[in-house]
Amino acid sequence: MASSFQELFGHPPEVVAHAPGRVNLIGEHTDYNGGFVLPMAIPQQTHVELRRRTDRRVRAFSANKSQPGEILEFELGQESVGKSWLDYVQGVTQVLQRQGHTLSGFELRVQSEVPLGSGLSSSASLDVAILRALRQAFSLPVDDVQLALLGQKVEVDFVGAPVGVMDPMAASIASEGVALFLDTREMRFERVPLPAGLDPIVINSGVAHNHAAGDYRVRRAECERAAELLGVPQLRDLSEADLPRAEKLPEPLGRRVRHIVTENARVLATVEALRSADLPKLGTLFYASHDSQRLDYEVSVPEIDLLVGLAREDADVYGARLTGGGFGGSVVMMARAGTGAAVAARIARRYAERSGQQPAILVPQSIEH
Ligand code: GLA
């Protein structure tokens, strides 16, 4: 059993904060191109307990990463990247101080239910949970959108993962059962409830990714290069009418542009399909998004394709697709209402038999959890 705050630090926490992981329904790799995304919170959360200290020392424990009783420490103002989970804590304190916020040291215990490397935004949920705890403990004048932007800075400026704004926005302002339709360039958002008649499913393939490892960075650089060659500030500025021109770019840039342009259009169409409860249409958009990620953006892996293939064979599933950054991670599916638990169980079982991997069903959440 992981050590409690009381056992670790000898007194109870002053503040408790949480932030959820997210599943992106559609709109993948569009956020760093100024485009549209549609994430939703999942029930799994990161929990943070915190108590202020009178000096500038930060002492931190992770129930997921630390050995029993193992406390990592650093001094405020002396944050340095160490390639461990503590980087997220150091990133938060460095970003807050650089923005002019005053902190003292603190004790921190984190515990996450969001599986790491699963494409469900475990790191943004950690950033946002820590930021929320510090906002409360130090009465920081930061609203929820500013808090999400700070979370993105932690990843980009400190951890060195050049991610977009979707994940911290989802962790900060999304809720379960309601999709967050976000225009990442204008930072405008609307909440779109899932219609009745739909059971979302999220299955983790068991194949972990690591964004900082390079593939994500390569995709992002390809998009920036393509935008430059096409003479637009961001790929968001292109429409389907520009595709013939984009397809003349050196490979693979043309295919990358085609994914971003068609994916942005699919987000808009998905919002319409959710509003009009056109579930077959929603399913078609999900599969089209998956194929575009697989063939044009090349971010899928065989295990993920197997999960989507099993969904295609299942009469109770409207649609399925890779969710999150890719190169492993999770699949999101939409199933007929009332069938979600049974569909998820049978697809996960067949997937385990065929792949040898150990899948985990995150949504719907099982009662035993
Ligand atoms: C990761 C990043 C997001 C987004 C997705 C892909 O989750 O953190 O910003 O780019 O990949 O849609």
Side-chain angles (χ1 to χ4, degrees), residues 191-215:
R191 297 180 194 274
V192 185
L194 293 195
L198 211 50
D199 272 5
I201 294 172
V202 179
I203 301 178
N204 178 5
S205 68
V207 180
H209 71 71
N210 178 0
H211 283 168
D215 293 308

Side-chain angles (χ1 to χ4, degrees), residues 57-334:
R57 196 97 193 128
V58 177
R59 307 186 69 225
F61 174 85
S62 159
N64 304 83
K65 293 282 192 180
S66 308
Q67 300 299 318
E70 181 202 7
I71 294 172
L72 299 180
E73 305 196 14
F74 66 95
E75 200 75 9
L76 288 180
Q78 292 178 21
E79 292 83 357
S80 67
V81 180
K83 303 283 175 217
S84 86
W85 71 274
L86 193 69
D87 285 355
Y88 296 95
V89 188
Q90 296 189 87
V92 166
T93 58
Q94 183 176 84
V95 164
L96 282 173
Q97 293 171 101
R98 288 201 172 160
Q99 303 267 313
H101 297 289
T102 305
L103 304 175
S104 71
F106 52 88
E107 287 151 358
L108 180 79
R109 181 184 186 275
V110 305
Q111 177 156 21
S112 186
E113 302 145 2
V114 186
L116 310 179
S118 62
L120 302 173
S121 193
S122 57
S123 62
S125 83
L126 174 59
D127 299 330
V128 169
I130 299 170
L131 281 161
R132 280 182 174 165
L134 290 171
R135 172 170 69 181
Q136 201 180 326
F138 294 98
S139 307
L140 305 178
V142 173
D143 69 24
D144 289 346
V145 171
Q146 290 167 337
L147 191 131
L149 293 169
L150 291 168
Q152 185 190 15
K153 274 183 94 54
V154 171
E155 300 281 338
V156 176
D157 296 354
F158 192 83
V159 176
V163 292
V165 77
M166 166 169 73
D167 298 349
M169 277 295 278
S172 187
I173 66 171
S175 37
E176 273 179 67
V178 182
L180 182 75
F181 171 35
L182 172 66
D183 177 332
T184 61
R185 179 144 83 192
E186 306 299 330
M187 286 299 279
R188 271 203 297 262
F189 57 87
E190 274 175 67
R191 297 180 194 274
V192 185
L194 293 195
L198 211 50
D199 272 5
I201 294 172
V202 179
I203 301 178
N204 178 5
S205 68
V207 180
H209 71 71
N210 178 0
H211 283 168
D215 293 308
Y216 185 92
R217 197 180 293 278
V218 170
R219 291 296 174 283
R220 189 172 177 144
E222 287 167 346
C223 289
E224 283 162 10
R225 178 79 185 126
E228 195 185 327
L229 290 171
L230 292 167
V232 288
Q234 286 183 297
L235 295 185
R236 153 73 184 272
D237 297 298
L238 301 175
S239 71
E240 305 211 353
D242 297 300
L243 289 183
R245 199 159 64 89
E247 278 154 19
K248 296 201 181 78
L249 293 176
E251 280 304 339
L253 299 189
R255 281 180 290 138
R256 305 293 190 252
V257 174
R258 190 163 59 203
H259 168 73
I260 299 301
V261 169
T262 58
E263 186 77 351
N264 273 326
R266 281 187 291 269
V267 176
L268 301 180
T270 299
V271 170
E272 282 316 302
L274 287 174
R275 287 193 172 129
S276 59
D278 187 343
L279 307 183
K281 177 73 196 277
L282 180 76
T284 306
L285 290 161
F286 266 42
Y287 287 130
S289 170
H290 185 72
D291 289 339
S292 179
Q293 294 191 85
R294 183 168 64 86
L295 298 168
D296 281 348
Y297 218 64
E298 294 177 288
V299 285
S300 192
V301 294
E303 289 85 351
I304 293 284
D305 293 339
L306 173 60
L307 275 167
V308 173
L310 291 167
R312 273 189 214 267
E313 290 166 13
D314 197 306
D316 286 326
V317 180
Y318 292 108
R321 56 181 292 283
L322 164 65
T323 186
F327 308 103
S330 301
V331 167
V332 56
M333 306 178 182
M334 288 295 181

Side-chain angles (χ1 to χ4, degrees), residues 22 24 27-32 163-167 211 216 324-325:
R22 64 99 188 92
N24 189 23
E28 225 64 79
H29 293 272
T30 45
D31 63 351
Y32 53 83
V163 292
V165 77
M166 166 169 73
D167 298 349
H211 283 168
Y216 185 92

Side-chain angles (χ1 to χ4, degrees), residues 29-52:
H29 293 272
T30 45
D31 63 351
Y32 53 83
N33 288 296
F36 306 114
V37 293
L38 196 63
M40 187 173 86
I42 56 174
Q44 291 77 17
Q45 304 201 59
T46 300
H47 307 278
V48 166
E49 298 164 294
L50 184 144
R51 186 184 186 94
R52 287 168 300 166

